[in-house]
Amino acid sequence: MSVKVKSMNFASLLICAVAALFSLGMIFFFGGGDWLVAASSAVMTGFVTYVVSRYIIWRFVLYRIKPIYQLMLERDLSVGELAGHFKGNDIISNAGLDIAEWAGKKAAEIDRLKDMENYRKEFLGNVSHELKTPLFTLQGYVITLLDNGAGDPETNVRYLEKANKNIERLIAIVHDLEEISKLEMKVMNLEREQFDIVALAEETAESFNIQENENKIAIKVAGELPIYVFADRRRIEQVFVNLMSNSIKYGRKGGSTTVKFIDMFDKVMVEITDNGIGISKENLPRVFERFFRADTIRSQENGGTGLGLAIVKHIVEAHGENIVVRSELGKGTTFGFTLKKYL
Ligand code: ADP
């Protein structure tokens, strides 16, 4: 029992003892000196005083802690409601536990708000940094062209093309930012449907294979039978686009990319493997972070936004699934993600 509860009982007992003694004396002296009558009336007085004083102290404590409970519950509260909450239990110890629990929750909320604030600051810093380079480059070309151009018409056209490349880069950043903010605000509504994941991989690979790429990398899909999954087809196509385009961007000349499907009972693991530049051990755990680039030069040369893998991870996780990566520097990289099969 806490010291405060002990002192509450002690106060009641003290009042009760004083009242009983007072009653004993009064009845004895003024009631004709009968000890029996004096003693029984002292017991009665003591008992009634004890009950009344406990009740008064109990109400007093409830009045004192009412503002704390109003603060914790963020609403008005009557003493009766508060008394109902304790149901005759030890107020002080129970209030102590309630306050400790509330303080714990508040501390967790403050930590969460601090994390969000840090995240917001970091995100804003990253975004402005990402936008700065293409914007300043673009401005450079536009200013040169405005100042009577570079001299000959051919150079002017080249400058315009370069300016356009930077505009495309800005558009890609804005598009990926929009995508990532939707994903991170969890407003992504998945439109799940049944579809053949092998066919989707083949379609996406074909759209890359028909375009000329500098490294002459071909994407092969190693799956013959249809495998039906239940997922958001458009979003999974985005996952394929991001992973396949990375395998080309970070591939080697004449290299290859293979898409494989591994059966895992009610799930399928889709693996996209390239034999490109690979990712070092130190950088590997960070590749899914927003704006992280292991190879900044290649990323920027190829219009990378540093958001592709973060988007991929969000999409896979929104499906309640996982994505993993393994890689060896100079040898190649494999990204693997799971999906639920449509059985
Ligand atoms: P980016 O737009 O820069 O490609 P991503 O989020 O798609 O951004 O990838 C993050 C970083 O991870 C890349 O900058 C690159 O350094 C590395 N990376 C991604 N995929 C591969 C891959 N297949 N092979 C080697 N490095 C890769």
Side-chain angles (χ1 to χ4, degrees):
M1 204 191 291
S2 72
V3 176
K4 285 189 180 163
V5 173
K6 271 188 195 157
S7 54
M8 254 171 80
N9 285 336
F10 180 70
S12 301
L13 283 170
L14 194 68
I15 296 167
C16 135
V18 171
L21 278 173
F22 182 72
S23 158
L24 184 74
M26 293 297 276
I27 303 281
F28 184 76
F29 284 110
F30 297 105
D34 188 338
W35 276 106
L36 200 65
V37 174
S40 45
S41 94
V43 169
M44 279 290 287
T45 311
F47 176 72
V48 172
T49 318
Y50 180 74
V51 171
V52 172
S53 65
R54 275 209 57 111
Y55 177 75
I56 292 170
I57 293 172
W58 164 269
R59 296 285 293 188
F60 172 75
V61 174
L62 285 176
Y63 268 110
R64 294 301 293 265
I65 62 171
K66 193 175 93 160
I68 302 173
Y69 272 82
Q70 283 181 333
L71 178 76
M72 291 198 294
L73 300 174
E74 292 169 2
R75 67 177 174 88
D76 279 346
L77 200 65
S78 69
V79 172
E81 255 182 288
L82 197 55
H85 169 72
F86 292 109
K87 291 193 192 96
N89 292 324
D90 169 5
I91 301 180
I92 310 283
S93 318
N94 280 293
L97 290 176
D98 287 343
I99 292 166
E101 189 187 332
W102 175 76
K105 277 190 196 147
K106 282 280 162 207
E109 201 180 318
I110 290 167
D111 284 348
R112 195 180 59 81
L113 289 173
K114 272 190 198 155
D115 284 350
M116 275 171 61
E117 178 61 12
N118 287 341
Y119 167 88
R120 197 184 61 81
K121 278 188 198 151
E122 188 199 327
F123 191 73
L124 278 178
N126 283 332
V127 170
S128 55
H129 176 79
E130 289 299 319
L131 294 175
K132 245 191 264 167
T133 318
L135 268 177
F136 286 151
T137 319
L138 181 61
Q139 192 185 33
Y141 289 121
V142 172
I143 286 173
T144 313
L145 288 167
L146 279 175
D147 289 347
N148 300 324
D152 62 296
E154 262 171 48
T155 316
N156 284 348
V157 170
R158 211 154 45 77
Y159 278 17
L160 276 174
E161 280 167 0
K162 289 202 170 163
N164 189 41
K165 218 171 163 92
N166 281 282
I167 292 173
E168 278 171 4
R169 194 162 150 62
L170 284 170
I171 292 172
I173 294 172
V174 171
H175 171 268
D176 279 1
L177 281 173
E178 216 171 41
E179 198 69 12
I180 205 124
S181 71
K182 267 196 239 158
L183 295 168
E184 293 190 352
M185 280 161 65
K186 301 209 176 354
V187 292
M188 176 172 51
N189 291 322
L190 291 180
E191 287 169 24
R192 293 181 200 246
E193 58 180 309
Q194 172 205 348
F195 65 90
D196 176 9
I197 187 79
V198 182
L200 180 65
E202 275 166 353
E203 268 171 47
T204 323
E206 198 182 318
S207 69
F208 280 101
N209 287 338
I210 56 170
Q211 295 169 36
E212 271 281 297
N213 67 66
E214 209 186 306
N215 288 333
K216 306 233 177 303
I217 292 168
I219 304 175
K220 283 179 243 150
V221 177
E224 284 131 38
L225 295 172
I227 302 171
Y228 289 98
V229 293
F230 191 63
D232 187 323
R233 192 178 189 281
R234 195 176 58 84
R235 300 279 184 188
I236 299 301
E237 186 180 355
Q238 176 80 64
V239 170
F240 275 137
V241 168
N242 290 11
L243 294 179
M244 286 180 188
S245 71
N246 275 358
S247 77
I248 294 173
K249 275 194 285 189
Y250 306 104
R252 66 174 63 194
K253 275 213 169 8
S256 67
T257 298
T258 313
V259 185
K260 269 197 304 193
F261 304 88
I262 300 157
D263 194 88
M264 291 170 62
F265 306 105
D266 60 332
K267 293 193 180 193
V268 56
M269 164 80 88
V270 185
E271 279 197 349
I272 296 167
T273 304
D274 64 60
N275 54 0
I277 60 170
I279 304 161
S280 70
K281 262 204 189 90
E282 309 83 75
N283 286 332
L284 204 56
R286 301 197 56 194
V287 287
F288 294 108
E289 281 175 27
R290 283 174 282 107
F291 301 111
F292 178 80
R293 293 178 176 98
D295 186 331
T296 314
I297 296 173
R298 272 219 209 195
S299 167
Q300 282 174 353
E301 271 174 4
N302 291 289
T305 60
L307 292 170
L309 288 180
I311 291 174
V312 163
K313 191 170 194 298
H314 274 302
I315 294 177
V316 173
E317 288 179 352
H319 281 80
E321 301 295 328
N322 291 304
I323 180 154
V324 287
V325 56
R326 51 181 194 274
S327 186
E328 213 178 313
L329 205 56
K331 293 231 166 110
T333 306
T334 296
F335 285 94
F337 64 94
T338 53
L339 280 181
K340 225 167 251 117
K341 276 201 238 162
Y342 186 83
L343 297 169

